[in-house]
Amino acid sequence: MGRKTLNNQVQHALTQKARIGQSRHKAKEELRQEYASQGVKMDFGTAVEGIHSIKTFDVYKGHCERFTAWCIENKGVSKYAKLESIKQYAVEYLKEREAQGLSLYTLKAERAALGKLYGEQIECKFEKARTYKDVTRSRGEAKRDAHFSEEKNASLVALCRGTGGRREDISKLTKECFFVKDGNMFVRFEQSKGGRDRIAPVLPKYQKQIKELLDKTENNKLLFDVVHNGCDVHGYRREYAQELYKTVCNDEKLKAEYSKQYAPRNEPNIKGSVYRSHEKERPFVGERDNIYIVSQALGHNRLDVSVNHYLK
């Protein structure tokens, strides 16, 4: 056989990691049990081995091939170079991409792709980060909202308000994503933003409508083939966060049940149980444990993201 090009090597390396058709959720549960057997808590966002969806495979392959092309053009490496030999340029490549003005979401996706390619985390921190003041989406009525009827799309609205899913999350839901534990309803979002899985409580006030939707949907079929473009999914997600926060503040029993779905809050550098935001324009004070549940349901690591973007 002839020598393999860098792109051939990328294809081979990622194919070796492909787990298409296997449950990513099951793999994560097994990893969590493995950590537990060693007496270690698995951190939120810990990656599992393998690539479990065709879409993720294609996205990662595209990111990695852009990296190899950059190395050939900017570092003078041969297209037949060993894949391992160009790993040294990964951080430089990512930093240059950041300088080009790419979004933080894209930068993290590229970093994850290269990490998956090489089987190790790429240590590269990005400087750019939006503050909540930069975010204006869903904080007022948009023109597209006028073309969307909540009455005609009542089931979709209930699903969004009841689960807090992102648009892509909602578009992938089937009835199998929902489960009931100890009388409480939850939804499992798989391959959400950043490739993460998460579990979120279904708000009690929307459970009846959502159950009716599930009952009339066939097994393994999408709840909605298309999510209406005029549906303000992010706005409903914000409503979900605020409603969930009120629920865990006022109902200790539900709070305890919801907490069972998540690892204990771990903030070693934080003293005290109260979160305080001293910003004059939008102050906020709340119990860190309550905010933590909301953060986990939304799929965020940092409490301040949930506070500044959703709860204020």
Side-chain angles (χ1 to χ4, degrees):
M1 293 181 63
R3 292 182 297 170
K4 290 184 177 182
T5 66
L6 283 169
N7 284 350
N8 291 151
Q9 295 173 63
V10 166
Q11 175 77 32
H12 178 75
L14 294 181
T15 299
Q16 291 292 101
K17 303 174 191 295
R19 305 289 185 272
I20 311 301
Q22 298 181 24
S23 171
R24 187 172 184 275
H25 174 72
K26 182 179 179 181
K28 199 148 195 174
E29 284 299 312
E30 291 174 350
L31 182 62
R32 185 176 286 109
Q33 291 173 13
E34 182 180 335
Y35 271 74
S37 68
Q38 299 171 5
V40 180
K41 181 179 74 69
M42 189 174 84
D43 292 333
F44 178 80
T46 299
V48 295
E49 290 291 328
I51 302 171
H52 293 77
S53 80
I54 294 175
K55 180 179 179 181
T56 301
F57 182 93
D58 290 340
V59 170
Y60 279 9
K61 180 171 176 285
H63 287 320
C64 293
E65 288 179 347
R66 275 188 286 276
F67 169 60
T68 61
W70 178 87
C71 289
I72 292 171
E73 181 178 349
N74 295 276
K75 294 300 175 181
V77 303
S78 167
K79 69 176 182 179
Y80 295 108
K82 295 293 185 181
L83 193 59
E84 188 68 22
S85 71
I86 65 172
K87 182 173 69 173
Q88 60 182 309
Y89 302 123
V91 173
E92 182 181 346
Y93 169 73
L94 291 169
K95 283 297 185 181
E96 182 168 311
R97 298 285 280 172
E98 181 180 20
Q100 292 171 358
L102 271 67
S103 72
L104 193 59
Y105 176 79
T106 300
L107 292 170
K108 287 183 176 180
E110 292 191 337
R111 183 177 62 188
L114 294 178
K116 188 67 71 174
L117 177 68
Y118 287 111
E120 62 183 70
Q121 185 174 343
I122 304 298
E123 297 295 338
C124 179
K125 293 185 178 181
F126 302 115
E127 296 178 3
K128 61 182 297 182
R130 294 187 304 173
T131 67
Y132 76 87
K133 293 180 180 179
D134 299 322
V135 180
T136 59
R137 184 174 58 168
S138 297
R139 288 193 177 158
E141 187 170 333
K143 289 183 179 179
R144 66 175 181 273
D145 298 340
H147 303 288
F148 180 77
S149 169
E150 290 191 345
E151 183 178 353
K152 293 180 179 179
N153 296 278
S155 295
L156 175 58
V157 173
L159 186 64
C160 294
R161 282 177 166 157
T163 65
R166 299 180 174 93
R167 180 174 293 273
E168 186 175 356
D169 294 333
I170 298 297
S171 70
K172 295 189 295 187
L173 287 179
T174 65
K175 64 192 304 180
E176 287 75 22
C177 296
F178 292 80
F179 65 96
V180 176
K181 188 169 185 179
D182 297 328
N184 299 297
M185 191 176 190
F186 298 88
V187 59
R188 181 180 295 109
F189 293 114
E190 297 190 354
Q191 288 283 292
S192 187
K193 187 174 181 180
R196 295 173 175 176
D197 298 342
R198 74 176 190 279
I199 290 174
V202 177
L203 293 177
K205 66 189 293 185
Y206 298 106
Q207 288 187 13
K208 181 179 179 181
Q209 283 178 275
I210 291 175
K211 286 178 181 177
E212 291 174 352
L213 175 62
L214 300 183
D215 289 341
K216 67 181 183 181
T217 304
E218 297 180 20
N219 292 337
N220 299 309
K221 295 291 185 181
L222 294 175
L223 299 184
F224 289 94
D225 293 325
V226 177
V227 177
H228 195 295
N229 186 55
C231 179
D232 185 11
V233 178
H234 194 76
Y236 296 137
R237 178 171 158 83
R238 193 162 185 263
E239 289 181 24
Y240 168 86
Q242 294 174 354
E243 185 69 26
L244 177 58
Y245 181 71
K246 292 177 184 177
T247 299
V248 297
C249 285
N250 298 325
D251 192 323
E252 286 295 325
K253 183 178 179 181
L254 270 182
K255 175 183 175 180
E257 292 299 320
Y258 292 167
S259 295
K260 293 178 183 178
Q261 296 297 322
Y262 310 117
R265 179 171 62 85
N266 181 27
E267 295 180 291
N269 298 322
I270 300 296
K271 295 182 179 180
S273 61
V274 177
Y275 179 102
R276 298 182 188 277
S277 171
H278 298 291
E279 186 186 344
K280 293 182 180 180
E281 295 179 1
R282 304 167 75 210
F284 183 92
V285 178
E287 287 292 325
R288 302 189 78 89
D289 284 343
N290 295 341
I291 303 170
Y292 175 72
I293 292 174
V294 175
S295 295
Q296 294 293 290
L298 293 174
H300 287 295
N301 286 334
R302 291 163 39 199
L303 302 193
D304 64 311
V305 172
S306 296
V307 170
N308 290 326
H309 291 264
Y310 298 95
L311 298 181
K312 281 188 175 181

